[in-house]
Each structure stands twice: as C-alpha cells, then as structure tokens.
Amino acid sequence: MIRLVFLLFITTVISSSVYRPIVLMHGIIASAHDMDELAGWLRTSFPGIYVTSIEIGNGAEDSFLWPLEKQVEHFCRHVLADEHLRQGFNLLGYSQGSIIARGALERCSLPVHNLITLSGVHQGVFGVPYLIMLPAQFRELITKYAYEKPVQNTISAANYWRDPDRLKRYTSECHFLPDINNEHEVRNETYRANMLKLNAFVMTYSDIDEIVAPRHSGIFMGYAPNSLHVETWNNSRQFTEDLIGLRTLFEQGKLYTFTSHVKHQDVPHKPNKDFLIKNIFPFLNNTLS
Ligand SMILES: *[C@@H]1O[C@H](CO)[C@@H](O)[C@H](O)[C@H]1NC(C)=O
Ligand SMILES: *[C@@H]1O[C@H](CO)[C@@H](O)[C@H](O)[C@H]1NC(C)=O
Ligand SMILES: *[C@@H]1O[C@H](CO)[C@@H](O)[C@H](O)[C@H]1NC(C)=O
C-alpha cells in the first residue's frame, strides 16, 4: 500500500513537471537559428522543457535546393533518432516548415500531440511575392517550368507551386504537395489516420503577409480553379472530400485558426511575440503523461 502511494506520488510529480518537448522547423532561405528567439521564449515560459530546432542540410541553401521529399526524410531521421522525443512532442513549423512538419507527421507517423503551423503554405503558393526570396535565376525557372521534372527535383518551392490555371498538371506533376494533401486518385489512408490522431491542429496566417500568396494558404485555403480568388473551406475539395481529415478535425473541435498581423519574416520574432504567447503558447503548455 505504502509502495503504491509512493509510486502514485512519484508519477504525479514526474508527469506534472515534464513539459512535452517541442520540435521547431524553420522556413525557406533560413536556418535553424531563425527559430532561436522563439525557442528562448519557450524555455523561459516552460522551465525545463526540451526544445529542438531542426536544421535541414547546411541550412539556408539546402532549404530551397533540396526537394521537399528529401527534406521530410531528413527531418524524420533527425526526430526519430532523438531519444528525448520518443514519448511524443508538439510540432511547430513556420512558412515552408509548415508542410515539412505536416508531411513528416503524415508519412513517418510521428508521435505528435499538437501540430502548429505559423504562416504556412498548406494549399501552396502562386505568384511573384514568394519568389522574391529566391535568387533571381530561380524565379523564371519556377514561373515558367515549375512542373518540369528537373525543376521539381531541384527547387523546393516548385514542390508546392499551385498554379490555379494548371491544376491538372499541379496534381499529376508536382512532386510533394498534392501527395501530402491526398489529392491523387488513390488516397493514402495512413496520412489521414495520422492527422486524425492529433489532439489539435493549429494554423495561423497574417493578414499583411507580403510573401505568401495567397495569404490564406496559411489556413489551408487556396485559389479556386482558374481564378485568383481564394476558395472558401467548405467549397474546397480538401474539405468536401475530407482528404486528410480536416473536416473531421473541424467537426471534432480540434482545428484552430488565428490571424496575426505581422510581416512574413517577423512571424517567429519580436513583433509577433504577444500574439504567439496569447494564442499559441496555450497549445504548448502541456505535459507528458
Ligand atoms: C500553463 O498553464 C498553467 C495552468 O493552467 C498556467 O498557470 C500557466 O500560466 C500556463 N503557462 C503559460 C506560459 O501559458
Ligand atoms: C502511404 O504512405 C506511406 C508513408 O509514406 C507509404 O509507406 C505507403 O506506401 C503509402 N501507401 C500508399 C497506398 O500509397
Ligand atoms: C461556408 O463557410 C462560410 C465561411 O466559413 C460560411 O459563412 C458559410 O455559411 C458556409 N457555407 C455552407 C454551405 O456551409
């Protein structure tokens, strides 16, 4: 009896004091250091927490010169090799990191509790603003030849270039996004099952984002076919056919969206600090049980 009480006591102490670890995934043309400021706030708010920021390859260059298939494989290898993460973690991806994080969760069945994406690109990008971040010689390759294999194999942004006038080519020839969004003829039920294991899926976008087009891609909305108007959730195939389980998550009250008001590059930085602490930190304030 005494032993049992002791055990219960120990279990309570341990489980109430160990915050669930957090994995951070940076955006395009950036390295893991871009997430340092946010990691610092997390360590201050949740004393003793394990926070790790994944670096893809050599950092900034590989973030756009590695196709996303490879970036996701790399991400999964890192995470699965980290013994601190074995019991589960919360996952936060920023910008391009949003779909690396989600792709990794879907493909590698990672033990993620809450998935959080900040100003992500879930329904792709289309248009010049996003390309401004890339070296000039790459821009035309994407606007003209995005769906050609050599481009798909070389530039990460081509893997989520969603041209509303060429949606058929996007679906059949774009290597990454149509796959993790389950837009192919044959769905991957594992992807959906893994999404439905989430406790919460939290997405944000910024109403003054000057890089991601359309901005609403951050909350999984994209251009309607042959138009530059953003399609509402309930009109989009992603929701009507519940391709990766978003509608189910919504109906279960597990889907959250927030609108921030900062420039794209400022999303994980000081100008967005209050927004993040108020809206996002509550989803990271949980312990391993
Ligand atoms: C985490 O939740 C606890 C309990 O609700 C609360 O007291 C604490 O202020 C929260 N911490 C943060 C950083 O939000
Ligand atoms: C679904 O995805 C998993 C993980 O990437 C893969 O192993 C499996 O072969 C895929 N299944 C189908 C039917 O494509
Ligand atoms: C679709 O969603 C919009 C905005 O969320 C809502 O106002 C509208 O009533 C919905 N339409 C249907 C048919 O559910």
Side-chain angles (χ1 to χ4, degrees):
M1 183 60 192
I2 287 179
R3 196 182 277 172
L4 179 64
V5 169
F6 181 71
L7 263 179
L8 280 175
F9 172 74
I10 289 292
T11 318
T12 314
V13 167
I14 290 177
S15 64
S16 64
S17 62
V18 180
Y19 287 109
R20 189 172 267 112
I22 301 174
V23 175
L24 305 174
M25 183 60 231
H26 65 79
I28 192 170
I29 325 262
S31 67
H33 291 306
D34 194 36
M35 305 304 269
D36 284 352
E37 196 174 14
L38 171 57
W41 302 331
L42 292 168
R43 292 191 183 106
T44 306
S45 299
F46 308 114
I49 196 168
Y50 179 77
V51 181
T52 181
S53 181
I54 305 289
E55 180 73 71
I56 296 290
N58 294 327
E61 280 206 345
D62 289 340
S63 76
F64 72 94
L65 290 177
W66 279 15
L68 286 183
E69 305 274 353
K70 182 172 168 184
Q71 298 202 32
V72 166
E73 277 169 27
H74 177 101
F75 180 94
C76 288
R77 243 195 333 272
H78 257 259
V79 166
L80 292 169
D82 187 336
E83 61 182 36
H84 295 101
L85 304 175
R86 298 264 154 84
Q87 286 175 273
F89 55 93
N90 291 311
L91 175 55
L92 184 151
Y94 159 51
S95 191
Q96 175 179 275
S98 64
I99 52 174
I100 296 174
R102 180 163 60 82
L105 159 73
E106 292 178 19
R107 289 187 176 172
C108 308
S109 306
L110 302 174
V112 176
H113 182 68
N114 290 336
L115 173 63
I116 295 153
T117 65
L118 307 178
S119 295
V121 292
H122 294 291
Q123 199 61 289
V125 294
F126 179 67
V128 171
Y130 197 77
L131 303 179
I132 285 167
M133 309 209 293
L134 295 172
Q137 67 268 35
F138 288 93
R139 292 182 206 146
E140 192 172 88
L141 278 179
I142 296 198
T143 53
K144 289 200 173 143
Y145 309 110
Y147 301 131
E148 302 294 336
K149 217 169 193 173
V151 177
Q152 285 290 319
N153 287 338
T154 327
I155 312 174
S156 72
N159 298 155
Y160 49 98
W161 186 256
R162 188 175 174 279
D163 180 341
D165 287 322
R166 296 188 291 170
L167 286 178
K168 273 215 172 92
R169 281 199 78 185
Y170 156 79
T171 312
S172 59
E173 288 161 55
C174 184
H175 283 185
F176 184 73
L177 195 64
D179 179 73
I180 65 160
N181 284 2
N182 253 344
E183 294 175 284
H184 291 143
E185 199 88 4
V186 179
R187 299 203 310 209
N188 190 318
E189 290 302 333
T190 307
Y191 293 176
R192 193 167 176 277
N194 284 337
M195 287 299 290
L196 293 178
K197 281 184 214 154
L198 285 170
N199 171 71
F201 180 20
V202 183
M203 297 182 279
T204 77
Y205 82 105
S206 166
D207 59 5
I208 57 165
D209 196 310
E210 78 291 21
I211 297 289
V212 172
R215 290 171 182 142
H216 291 79
S217 190
I219 54 170
F220 232 120
M221 288 159 73
Y223 291 126
N226 304 111
S227 112
L228 291 178
H229 291 288
V230 173
E231 195 170 50
T232 60
W233 272 3
N234 39 23
N235 279 326
S236 76
R237 195 175 150 227
Q238 186 55 249
F239 279 81
T240 54
E241 297 180 30
D242 203 23
L243 299 177
I244 62 161
L246 287 186
R247 202 181 67 216
T248 303
L249 287 170
F250 176 74
E251 286 163 4
Q252 293 173 342
K254 293 177 176 175
L255 196 64
Y256 300 81
T257 62
F258 296 96
T259 308
S260 65
H261 192 68
V262 285
K263 290 189 167 165
H264 191 73
Q265 310 289 18
D266 285 337
V267 167
H269 295 293
K270 186 93 190 188
N272 210 25
K273 185 178 180 184
D274 291 344
F275 171 86
L276 294 172
I277 289 182
K278 174 165 181 264
N279 300 298
I280 301 303
F281 280 31
F283 291 97
L284 302 168
N285 191 357
N286 45 69
T287 52
L288 290 171
S289 49

